[in-house]
């Protein structure tokens, strides 16, 4: 069937939630069931549009933007309503569209205090518009607007429905993110002015920079501004301190959306904007990004070991996992960035699941103090097993999604892109590998303390502690299935992302190629590259054929 | 014989009746209100507010015909000009004044204050602003300034049985007169240098004299300082919090929006027409005013416990943002035009969002009887609509997309970045950091309204009136529309001054 959504499918998907919001605004808040129904139907409708977008997505040309719309938006500042989907954004958009309805189902009968489903669901739908919009935007101003739209609903979700310390956490979240994005905006504008391209579209700016409009020094500064904006959102060490507070205080659903999608806005910004537009600066910044990434991996893991609160522990594990993603990005290789996008998807699924579980545990035990928990497997065996499964997935067990995020990211650090110091990244690789050991340590320890053993006395005969409920099953099953599916067949994601990543790195590779010739490092690169390729064979074992293919292409373009 | 001589000496200047039609309509309405008061006395009370509101809207009609006509009109030998810039500014003044009338309707009636005089003075003050937008020589600028200020002094002290209102009126009067005096001194120096009161001539004379002449520098510093009082820029801001707090809240809204905008109009015209060549004098001056206003305003706002004082300091910080584009307006190559558009855009959006915020404050204060931030707690539980509206206005002031304020800030940043010089970038970075600081108190107030419990658990609904509701509706829709489709506002504010060759 021909593609019926071309030209308007993205707009439909992005703004449909707002239609739901408009309808809900008109209904008095006492009619809670109607609100729940409208929100669910709206989010399912968006997911349905998402499925159609996937069906008509041309998988043979993932490097091309599809469903493109490019219309004048704010003429005076040459900003355009330019949207499109390519292989890099598609998985993240689908993840968003999946997570939102699941969150609505999950909260069906247990809205946190002060209940008010109307306001809560409206905020979730506004969030959905912001998140999808950020992933489809192809214009810096449009991107910035959507990037910020996400802030407000999340702020209120934490501030109104959050835990005891919500006032502090919500403001901290807001201020950190806004600080980054304010400087990011200034660097966007500097980029706009310095290129003289008279356009804010990503491709237009990338071309203008490639044509040599911007001095190297200015590029470094501009990249620095973007780095702050995206890095705080990721969050990278040392900007991560808002995350544990926000996660711990947010209501369950807020935590899930925060972990599953919001954190990805930062990493997505790096691969979509910062690196393709400013490849030269990216090469110079790469070692520093890599350094902060591995510091984040180790620091996050050590932080986890020290936590006494289950939700806070999962939050710190996010810092570590996003460290792997950033490490993959910092290598500036096709392989590394593919791994990073896989890491984003896997982290979204797994950590989202873990936060769901933490929410359910909290609801049953009314505490998340790890020392007071125990015996989940006895009291709620199914939930206990799901918890164990997610912990395994999170620590990167092969065969589950987490593995394909971490392992290739580490591997790619062995052989970073041209112009990026090889020795440094190999050191990072070793440190990151140690991080996976720590990850296994804190997750298994958490599992052992919370799920194993006999239930503590205070909860032994508590009738509230039931096994997984129907709503929980409905909202968790798709995530669990996907964790397994992607784990067994990672090509589900890699096939989509690969072409787009390759295309986005093309300017990077060519610029680096010239730089390398000047420095006469081409030989070193070639040798290093061949090594990496060989190792890839040894370590990968089976199932990584695709990535090997990829290395070949990479070698071809690199040489 | 003597009569003949007089008729010979006096030649009636050519009057472009269409060009001054808005002023004439406004004058007519003002006179009508006074007349109605004299004739009908107390019986006229219920209709004066409506009359004033309709009058302001009627004044907008000739503005539309002038805009449709589209030619720049120069009257009275260049002293009075109707160009794009003046039309847009007049529209902003009239619409803000209309919203202020809506806000005042119940406030003034319920407080048992004199109504007819209030609206008469309000219209007189608006008249001064409308004239200010067209004034292009020192004398007419000064007359317009006094015409807009003197009624405002009276209106600030309108709650005459309240000591704080009296104090505010006196303080505003003394400070205002002091600022006028400083400004007049600067103007007299300019006249001394150029021998003319026309801004065009002064521009030529200043360019010829060169900025190294100390007299010119002094004149510029005095004039900029005088208007810095008017727009409440640091360090000339000290009157604002006390006056804002003491004045009746609708008057505060009027001062914070319309009166400030009028100050900006004069500042823009003077700087861009009279001393464009002396940019090395006023650029650093404006830079310091902008950076100081943003930083000091925000820092002090963090500590406020009264919403009106909070809005006063936030207004000071916003002034810093508004004035910032002028710090790079002297670089030639269209930088003056860009700065002008950015300031006008900011003024238009600021008018909508700030008036909206004051509207919510007025409505909520009708219930709580207090403007302390604590009394706003838990408003979400009994007035969800108002809380959402206030959230929109507050976060718009903070510059969060997709609410109007983001585009205003964006334009400022764009102009600063486009100048392409280090000082521009530094000021942009100062602005970026400041917008984060500002977010703290805006978000804290919003959070208090959403998340805290209402004091005394009082969940009684808020009394609402049609005029307040329509004021809120206008401001809310405009704020949202400007944010989602900035083209709406940008199309009108992409203006030039006739003197700049537009």
């Amino acid at each position: 069937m021909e593609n019926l959504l071309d030209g308007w499918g993205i707009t439909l998907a992005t703004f449909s939630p707002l239609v739901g919001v408009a309808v809900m605004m008109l209904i008095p808040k006492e009619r809670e069931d109607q609100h729940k129904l409208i929100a669910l139907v709206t989010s399912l409708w968006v997911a349905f549009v998402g499925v159609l977008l996937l069906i008509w997505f041309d998988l043979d040309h993932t490097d091309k933007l599809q469903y493109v719309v490019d219309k004048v938006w704010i003429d005076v500042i040459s900003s355009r309503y330019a949207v499109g989907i390519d292989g890099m954004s598609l998985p993240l958009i689908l993840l968003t569209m999946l997570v939102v309805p699941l969150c609505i189902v999950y909260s069906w009968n247990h809205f946190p205090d002060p209940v008010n489903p109307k306001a809560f669901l409206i905020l979730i739908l506004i969030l959905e518009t912001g998140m999808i919009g950020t992933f489809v935007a192809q214009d810096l101003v449009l991107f910035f607007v959507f990037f910020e739209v996400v802030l407000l609903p999340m702020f209120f979700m934490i501030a109104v429905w959050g835990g005891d310390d919500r006032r502090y956490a919500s403001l901290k979240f807001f201020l950190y993110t806004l600080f980054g994005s304010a400087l990011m905006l200034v660097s966007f504008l500097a980029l706009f002015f310095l290129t003289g391209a008279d356009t804010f579209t990503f491709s237009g700016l990338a071309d203008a920079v490639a044509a040599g409009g911007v001095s190297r020094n200015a590029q470094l500064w501009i990249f620095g501004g973007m780095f702050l904006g995206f890095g705080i959102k990721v969050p990278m060490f040392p900007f991560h301190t808002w995350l544990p507070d926000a996660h711990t205080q947010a209501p369950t659903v807020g935590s899930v959306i925060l972990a599953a999608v919001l954190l990805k806005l930062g990493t997505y910004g790096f691969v979509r904007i910062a690196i393709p537009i400013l490849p030269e600066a990216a090469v110079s910044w790469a070692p520093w990004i890599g350094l902060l990434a591995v510091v984040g991996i180790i620091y996050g893991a050590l932080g986890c070991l020290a936590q006494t609160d289950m939700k806070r522990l999962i939050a710190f594990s996010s810092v570590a996992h996003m460290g792997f993603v950033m490490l993959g990005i910092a290598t500036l290789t096709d392989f590394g960035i593919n791994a990073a996008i896989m890491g984003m998807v896997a982290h979204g699924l797994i950590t989202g699941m873990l936060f769901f579980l933490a929410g359910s545990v909290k609801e049953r035990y009314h505490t998340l103090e790890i020392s007071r928990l125990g015996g989940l497997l006895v009291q709620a065996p199914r939930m206990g097993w799901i918890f164990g499964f997610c912990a395994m997935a999170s620590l990167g067990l092969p065969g589950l999604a987490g593995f394909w995020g971490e392992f290739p990211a580490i591997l790619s650090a062995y052989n970073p892109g041209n112009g990026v110091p090889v020795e440094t990244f190999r050191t990072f690789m070793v440190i990151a590998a140690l991080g996976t050991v720590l990850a296994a340590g804190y997750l298994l320890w958490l599992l052992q303390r919370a799920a194993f053993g006999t239930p503590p006395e205070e909860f032994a005969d508590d009738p509230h502690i039931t096994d997984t409920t129907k709503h929980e099953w409905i909202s968790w099953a798709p995530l669990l299935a996907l964790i397994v599916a992607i784990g067994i067949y990672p090509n589900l994601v890699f096939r989509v992302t690969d072409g787009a990543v390759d295309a986005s790195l093309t300017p990077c590779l060519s610029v680096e190629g010239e730089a390398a010739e000047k420095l006469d490092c081409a030989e070193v690169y070639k040798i290093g590259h061949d090594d990496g390729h060989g190792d890839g064979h040894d370590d990968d074992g089976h199932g990584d054929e695709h990535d090997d293919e990829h290395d070949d292409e990479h070698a071809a373009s690199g040489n | 014989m003597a009569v003949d001589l007089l008729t010979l000496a006096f030649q009636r200047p050519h009057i472009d009746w269409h060009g001054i039609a808005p002023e004439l309509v406004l004058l007519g309405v003002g006179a009508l209100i006074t007349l109605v008061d004299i004739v009908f006395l107390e019986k006229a009370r219920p209709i004066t507010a409506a009359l004033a509101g309709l009058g302001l809207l009627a004044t907008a009609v000739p503005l539309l015909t002038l805009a449709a006509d589209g030619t720049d009109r120069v009257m009275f030998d260049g002293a009075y000009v109707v160009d794009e810039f003046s039309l847009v500014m007049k529209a902003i003044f009239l619409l803000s004044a209309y919203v202020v009338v809506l806000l005042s309707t119940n406030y003034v009636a319920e407080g048992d204050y004199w109504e007819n005089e209030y609206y008469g003075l309000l219209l007189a003050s608006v008249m001064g602003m409308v004239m200010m937008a067209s004034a292009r020589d020192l004398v007419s600028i000064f007359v317009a300034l006094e015409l807009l200020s003197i009624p405002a002094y009276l209106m600030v002290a309108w709650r005459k049985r309240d000591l704080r209102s009296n104090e505010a009126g006196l303080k505003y009067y003394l400070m205002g007169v002091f600022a006028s005096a400083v400004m007049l001194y600067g103007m007299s120096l300019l006249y001394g240098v150029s021998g003319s009161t026309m801004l065009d001539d002064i521009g030529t004379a200043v360019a010829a004299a060169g900025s190294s002449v100390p007299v010119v520098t002094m004149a510029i510093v005095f004039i900029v300082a005088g208007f810095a009082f008017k727009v409440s820029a640091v360090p000339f801001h000290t009157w604002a919090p006390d006056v804002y707090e003491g004045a009746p809240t609708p008057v505060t809204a009027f001062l914070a929006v319309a009166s400030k905008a009028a100050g900006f109009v004069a500042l823009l015209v003077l700087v861009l027409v009279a001393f464009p060549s002396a940019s090395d004098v006023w650029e650093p001056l404006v830079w310091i005013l902008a950076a100081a206003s943003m930083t000091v305003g925000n820092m002090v706002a963090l500590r406020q416990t009264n919403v009106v004082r909070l809005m006063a300091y936030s207004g000071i910080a916003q002034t810093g943002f508004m004035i910032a584009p002028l710090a790079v307006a002297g670089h030639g190559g269209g930088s003056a035009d860009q700065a002008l558009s950015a300031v006008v855009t900011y003024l238009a959006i600021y008018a909508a969002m700030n008036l909206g915020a004051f509207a919510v404050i007025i409505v909520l204060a009708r219930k709580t009887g207090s403007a302390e931030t604590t009394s706003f707690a838990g408003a979400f539980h009994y007035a969800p609509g108002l809380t959402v509206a206030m959230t929109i206005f507050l976060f718009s002031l903070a510059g969060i997309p997709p609410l109007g304020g983001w585009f205003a800030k964006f334009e400022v940043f764009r102009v600063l970045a486009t100048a392409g010089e280090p000082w521009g970038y530094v000021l942009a970075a100062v602005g970026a950091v400041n917008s984060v600081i500002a977010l703290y108190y805006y978000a804290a107030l919003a959070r208090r309204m959403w998340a805290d419990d209402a004091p005394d658990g009082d969940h009684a609904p808020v009394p609402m009136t049609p005029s307040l509701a329509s004021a809120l509706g206008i401001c809310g829709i405009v704020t949202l529309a400007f944010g989602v489709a900035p083209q709406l506002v940008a199309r009108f504010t992409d203006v030039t001054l006739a003197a700049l060759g537009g």
Side-chain angles (χ1 to χ4, degrees):
Chain A
M1 202 159 83
E2 65 173 316
N3 186 345
L4 292 178
L5 287 176
D6 198 21
W8 63 293
I10 294 179
T11 311
L12 181 70
T14 312
F15 295 105
S16 287
L18 291 187
V19 177
V21 169
V23 175
M24 288 167 74
M25 292 266 203
L26 299 175
I27 300 175
K29 73 173 179 186
E30 287 74 25
R31 300 194 196 156
E32 297 188 354
D33 286 335
Q34 283 185 20
H35 285 297
K36 290 176 195 169
L37 198 66
I38 294 171
L40 183 64
V41 168
T42 311
S43 64
L44 285 176
W45 161 251
V46 174
F48 173 70
V49 176
V51 171
L52 291 183
L53 286 173
L54 176 65
I55 289 173
W56 285 317
F57 189 82
D58 183 357
L59 285 174
D60 297 327
H61 298 99
T62 56
D63 54 327
K64 293 245 162 27
L65 282 174
Q66 301 181 24
Y67 304 104
V68 175
V69 182
D70 189 4
K71 289 202 161 57
V72 174
W73 179 41
I74 314 174
D75 208 18
V76 265
I77 55 168
S78 325
S79 169
R80 302 181 71 79
Y81 176 73
V83 294
I85 298 180
D86 70 359
M88 280 201 286
S89 43
L90 185 67
L92 297 168
I93 292 168
L94 293 176
L95 178 69
T96 311
M97 292 171 168
L98 173 73
V99 167
V100 172
L102 300 185
C103 284
I104 294 174
V105 172
Y106 180 83
S107 40
W108 202 263
N109 281 331
H110 24 73
F111 282 94
D113 280 336
V115 185
N116 201 346
K118 176 182 177 181
F120 194 78
L121 293 170
I122 284 180
L123 290 179
I124 289 187
L125 290 179
I126 298 177
L127 254 180
E128 186 170 23
T129 292
M131 295 187 293
I132 298 176
T134 315
F135 288 133
V136 297
Q138 299 295 330
D139 179 286
L140 280 182
V141 179
L142 192 65
F143 175 87
F144 173 77
V145 169
F146 280 123
F147 195 79
E148 302 283 292
V149 165
V150 172
L151 285 181
L152 275 182
M154 190 45 91
F155 168 74
F156 284 113
M157 262 174 140
I158 300 175
V160 179
W161 287 271
D164 297 333
D165 217 4
R166 56 181 191 265
R167 308 169 47 110
Y168 169 73
S170 58
L171 260 186
K172 192 170 178 185
F173 159 75
F174 207 157
L175 290 176
Y176 261 72
T177 328
L178 194 84
F179 177 74
S181 52
L183 291 178
M184 181 177 89
L185 178 64
V186 173
S187 54
F188 282 177
L189 288 167
L191 189 65
F192 173 77
F193 167 69
L194 290 173
T195 56
D198 205 30
T199 174
F200 274 107
T201 53
F202 298 167
S203 53
L205 284 173
D207 291 346
V209 173
V214 186
S215 73
R216 195 183 145 69
N217 211 7
Q219 281 198 37
L220 287 176
W221 276 100
I222 294 172
F223 195 96
M226 292 188 188
F227 175 77
L228 265 181
F230 297 138
I232 289 175
K233 195 89 174 178
V234 169
M236 294 187 76
F237 179 88
F239 313 119
H240 66 282
T241 59
W242 64 267
L243 182 83
D245 287 315
H247 263 316
T248 318
Q249 298 305 324
T252 304
V253 170
S255 291
V256 172
I257 294 181
L258 195 56
V261 187
L262 256 56
L263 303 190
K264 277 76 202 174
L265 300 182
T267 40
Y268 176 78
F270 275 107
V271 299
R272 166 66 73 197
I273 297 173
I275 293 173
I277 296 183
L278 298 165
E280 259 187 85
V283 173
S284 310
W285 275 87
W288 300 105
I289 300 177
L291 177 69
L292 292 180
V294 291
V295 172
I297 293 173
I298 299 300
Y299 181 87
L302 293 177
C304 282
L305 287 171
Q307 295 311 313
T308 57
D309 182 287
M310 184 166 153
K311 220 171 168 189
R312 218 175 156 81
L313 189 152
I314 302 171
F316 266 102
S317 83
S318 281
V319 176
H321 283 120
M322 294 315 276
F324 284 108
V325 172
M326 287 312 300
L327 181 63
I329 293 175
T331 62
L332 297 181
T333 57
D334 189 3
F335 191 35
I337 293 183
N338 268 310
I341 297 178
M342 174 59 103
M344 294 184 217
V345 175
H347 175 262
L349 296 170
I350 297 167
T351 310
M353 245 337 277
L354 282 172
F355 276 116
F356 268 139
L357 282 163
S360 289
V361 167
K362 169 101 187 204
E363 203 172 271
R364 287 165 172 77
Y365 292 86
H366 301 290
T367 179
L368 282 170
E369 272 304 300
I370 300 172
S371 56
R372 287 175 63 194
L373 298 173
L376 188 65
L377 276 163
V378 177
Q379 287 186 301
R382 292 195 186 84
M383 216 171 97
W385 279 112
I386 296 173
F387 183 34
F389 173 85
C390 294
M392 294 299 166
S394 184
L395 65 82
L397 194 72
L400 298 176
F403 176 74
W404 298 110
E406 280 181 21
F407 181 72
I410 297 173
L411 193 63
S412 68
Y414 185 78
N415 183 22
N418 216 345
V420 181
V422 178
E423 289 76 13
T424 319
F425 269 81
R426 291 195 181 159
T427 319
F428 291 164
M429 182 183 93
V430 175
I431 302 171
L434 287 175
T436 61
V437 180
L438 289 173
Y442 63 76
L443 281 161
L444 291 177
W445 196 30
L446 170 68
L447 186 64
Q448 192 187 19
R449 285 180 293 172
F452 293 177
T454 50
E457 237 166 67
E458 55 173 327
F459 299 120
D461 302 314
D462 194 332
H464 291 111
I465 298 171
T466 54
D467 212 339
T468 322
T469 64
K470 190 175 72 191
H471 283 114
E472 285 168 349
W473 272 121
I474 299 175
S475 51
W476 295 351
L479 294 177
L480 297 172
L482 272 174
I483 292 172
V484 177
I486 294 177
I488 294 172
Y489 191 62
N491 233 358
L492 280 178
V493 176
F494 283 138
R495 171 162 162 62
V496 178
T497 58
D498 183 37
V501 172
D502 209 17
S504 80
L505 279 175
T506 315
C508 208
L509 293 174
S510 63
V511 169
E512 284 154 34
E514 288 161 22
E517 270 169 31
K518 275 183 218 148
L519 296 167
D520 206 15
C521 292
E523 285 302 302
V524 178
Y525 167 67
K526 198 174 152 199
I527 295 163
H529 188 89
D530 286 342
D531 277 354
H533 193 84
D535 274 18
H537 265 303
D538 297 343
D539 293 349
D540 288 1
H542 61 90
D544 200 15
E545 285 164 17
H546 177 76
D547 294 311
D548 280 354
E549 244 174 71
H550 219 5
D551 270 20
D552 286 339
E553 285 168 20
H554 181 160
S557 57
N559 295 340
Chain B
M1 182 67 192
V3 175
D4 283 352
L5 263 181
L6 264 179
T7 42
L8 275 179
F10 180 76
Q11 275 190 328
R12 191 180 73 109
H14 171 70
I15 295 176
D16 181 349
W17 294 103
H18 191 189
I20 56 167
E23 286 81 351
L24 291 177
V25 175
L26 199 55
L27 189 67
V29 176
L32 184 67
I33 286 186
T34 317
L35 213 65
V36 165
D37 178 38
I38 293 170
V39 176
F40 295 104
L41 297 173
E42 281 300 294
K43 275 182 280 180
R45 279 187 77 142
I47 59 156
T48 25
L51 206 59
L54 287 176
L56 287 165
L57 291 184
T59 312
V61 173
L63 278 188
L64 290 177
T65 61
L66 280 170
D69 183 46
T71 45
D72 291 336
R73 291 153 191 273
V74 180
M75 288 169 269
F76 308 120
D77 300 330
Y80 207 76
V81 168
V82 177
D83 54 10
E84 281 177 338
F85 169 76
S86 68
L87 285 178
V88 170
M89 286 315 303
K90 283 176 189 183
I92 293 176
F93 290 137
L94 291 173
L95 291 178
S96 338
Y98 178 67
V99 174
V100 170
V101 169
L102 289 178
L103 296 181
S104 312
T105 306
N106 292 85
Y107 192 97
V108 181
E110 285 164 16
D112 200 24
Y113 306 118
W114 284 339
E115 280 190 77
N116 301 342
E117 290 80 353
Y118 176 86
Y119 294 109
L121 288 173
L122 183 70
L123 290 185
S125 184
V126 175
M127 180 78 180
M129 293 169 186
V130 168
M131 285 174 60
M132 182 72 98
S134 284
R136 296 290 182 277
D137 87 332
L138 293 180
V139 176
S140 47
I141 285 179
F142 187 73
V143 170
L145 182 74
E146 293 305 305
L147 182 54
L148 79 88
S149 300
I150 293 170
Y153 301 144
L154 296 171
M155 284 156 69
V156 166
W158 212 248
R159 298 190 303 161
K160 60 181 176 182
R161 285 177 288 276
D162 186 327
L163 211 56
R164 266 186 310 177
S165 186
N166 286 307
E167 179 197 328
L170 189 63
K171 207 173 249 178
Y172 188 41
Y173 170 69
L174 289 176
M175 287 296 194
V177 171
F178 177 55
S180 294
V182 169
M183 200 184 312
L184 260 188
Y185 186 51
M187 287 178 172
S188 67
L189 291 179
L190 269 190
Y191 181 71
V193 171
S194 62
S196 165
T197 58
M198 293 293 168
L199 297 192
D200 284 337
D201 299 343
I202 294 172
T204 322
V206 168
S211 56
S212 53
V213 181
V215 164
V216 174
T217 308
M218 265 172 71
I220 293 174
V221 171
F222 279 132
I223 288 178
V224 170
F227 282 106
F229 267 107
K230 205 75 214 159
V231 301
S232 66
V234 173
F236 309 107
H237 67 288
T238 44
W239 59 272
D242 290 341
V243 171
Y244 281 21
E245 194 188 0
T249 322
V251 177
T252 308
F254 185 64
L255 292 183
V257 173
S259 167
K260 178 178 283 188
F264 266 105
V265 167
L267 193 58
L268 283 170
V269 170
L270 278 165
V271 162
L272 298 181
V273 180
F275 3 98
S277 55
S279 64
D280 54 336
V281 177
W282 51 263
E283 276 195 347
L285 197 63
V286 169
W287 198 98
I288 293 167
L289 286 176
S293 299
M294 284 191 250
T295 314
V296 175
N298 276 328
M299 290 298 176
V300 184
L302 289 175
R303 307 287 309 159
Q304 298 307 313
T305 58
N306 181 300
V307 179
V308 177
R309 286 185 84 86
L310 182 109
M311 292 303 293
Y313 283 106
S314 112
I316 292 166
Q318 301 273 358
T319 297
F321 270 100
M322 284 182 230
I323 204 174
L326 276 182
V328 293
H331 283 63
S335 63
D337 259 349
Q338 287 207 348
L340 185 73
S341 303
V343 177
V344 176
T345 308
Y346 209 120
L347 286 172
I349 296 174
Y350 178 75
M353 58 195 184
N354 216 33
L355 283 174
F358 274 110
V360 178
I361 293 172
I362 290 170
V363 177
L364 275 178
R366 272 163 69 84
K367 173 188 155 77
T368 59
S370 143
E372 290 299 306
T373 49
T374 45
S375 71
F376 279 56
F380 182 58
H381 299 300
Y382 57 85
L386 270 183
T387 309
V388 170
M390 188 64 166
T391 309
I392 289 174
F393 298 130
L394 286 176
F395 285 107
S396 180
L397 284 166
I400 308 286
L403 308 167
W406 83 269
F407 186 67
K409 288 215 164 63
F410 183 94
E411 281 286 274
V412 171
F413 285 137
R414 187 172 71 103
V415 171
L416 289 175
T418 312
E421 57 146 306
W423 286 113
Y425 284 117
V426 173
L427 192 55
V430 172
V433 172
N434 264 296
S435 51
V436 182
I437 301 173
L439 180 73
Y440 180 85
Y441 56 83
Y442 292 130
L445 181 58
R447 189 194 55 192
R448 197 184 278 280
M449 293 177 71
W450 279 70
D452 286 5
D453 293 324
D456 315 328
D458 178 10
H459 283 193
V462 178
M464 195 66 168
T465 67
S467 61
L468 284 172
S470 35
L472 270 173
I474 294 171
C475 296
I477 289 170
V478 169
T479 305
L480 270 178
F482 283 179
V484 177
Q487 193 62 37
L488 283 177
V489 60
R491 227 177 56 216
F492 295 111
T493 56
D494 188 16
V495 293
T496 50
L497 285 161
L500 291 178

